[in-house]
Amino acid sequence: AQSVAQPEDQVNVAEGNPLTVKCTYSVSGNPYLFWYVQYPNRGLQFLLKYITGDNLVKGSYGFEAEFNKSQTSFHLKKPSALVSDSALYFCAVRGLNRDDKIIFGKGTRLHILP
Amino acid sequence: DAGITQSPRHKVTETGTPVTLRCHQTENHRYMYWYRQDPGHGLRLIHYSYGVKDTDKGEVSDGYSVSRSKTEDFLLTLESATSSQTSVYFCAISDALTGTGGDGYTFGSGTRLTVV
């Protein structure tokens, strides 16, 4: 069975510092991996995805994520945090089988401190 | 969110009453999904649709039914609402089952449902 874990409920980072939001996954075979962001009272917005190819994926708002197959991780990163990055972040995974569904993690709340 | 709207945005209903939430899209996407979001659980898939009149169950489908009579509309019905169904409900659309087409899933703004 496929699963995704976000080990941190909340991450606090000072503005201007680099940020990392962690995600690990479990899936049979190669995964499709996603990051979404949710601002208050809004739906989720797509940030980036990994399907195949380069392990470093670049997405919206200066975010990037690194796919690490040996560690089954897909951590979200940004070199310099902005206060406006404060939001709820979801990692998601899907296997390659036709019947596989996208599974979302429980979310990590990111606080960027001014 | 562009191309997908949910109605109502907020609803309070009594235990035991039926409730229908509507998701409307203007993107002509084939796949539509209903999720619920609860603290500590993230998003959980309730039902999804892969075409008109073609639907399937997700991981938390008990107590819910769906219908899709037109490409643009996907309805979620709570047959007899219970307090455990108090949640925020999100609709999502995709042009591919994997969510890999374009920008993955596009989500609506959500419906906050309270069952009292």
Side-chain angles (χ1 to χ4, degrees), chain A residues 1 14 35 67 89 99 102:
Chain A
W35 276 101
F67 171 60
Y89 290 81
D99 293 334
I102 290 185

Side-chain angles (χ1 to χ4, degrees), chain A residues 13-86:
Chain A
V13 178
E15 186 177 23
N17 284 3
L19 69 87
T20 298
V21 183
K22 297 179 179 177
C23 172
T24 59
Y25 67 90
S26 174
V27 68
S28 299
N30 294 321
Y32 294 133
L33 293 159
F34 309 86
W35 276 101
Y36 288 83
V37 60
Q38 185 181 33
Y39 298 102
N41 299 314
R42 300 291 301 276
L44 277 70
Q45 297 177 28
F46 171 83
L47 271 182
L48 51 81
K49 65 185 178 187
Y50 171 83
I51 305 300
T52 187
D54 290 340
N55 290 339
L56 185 64
V57 178
K58 293 187 183 298
S60 306
Y61 311 121
F63 284 94
E64 58 188 27
E66 186 170 10
F67 171 60
N68 187 317
K69 188 172 183 178
S70 63
Q71 296 185 6
T72 62
S73 66
F74 190 56
H75 300 333
L76 181 70
K77 300 180 180 182
K78 188 174 182 180
S80 179
L82 300 173
V83 172
S84 58
D85 293 330
S86 298

Side-chain angles (χ1 to χ4, degrees), chain B residues 5-81:
Chain B
T5 55
Q6 292 184 233
S7 59
R9 290 296 310 273
H10 303 272
K11 185 170 182 66
V12 179
T13 192
E14 294 185 349
T15 299
T17 60
V19 177
T20 296
L21 309 182
R22 180 180 184 238
C23 178
H24 178 78
Q25 60 145 330
T26 58
E27 303 296 322
N28 200 35
H29 283 348
R30 178 179 177 185
Y31 298 94
M32 300 185 75
Y33 311 82
W34 276 108
Y35 286 88
R36 60 178 289 175
Q37 182 179 18
D38 303 288
H41 291 278
L43 273 79
R44 292 180 290 176
L45 181 64
I46 305 171
H47 282 279
Y48 69 102
S49 169
Y50 45 95
V52 173
K53 297 185 179 180
D54 290 325
T55 64
D56 205 351
K57 296 178 179 180
E59 60 179 310
V60 289
S61 59
D62 288 347
Y64 301 94
S65 63
V66 290
S67 65
R68 191 169 177 199
S69 59
K70 298 184 292 185
T71 298
E72 56 266 34
D73 290 326
F74 192 34
L75 305 180
L76 175 71
T77 296
L78 287 65
E79 309 285 352
S80 177

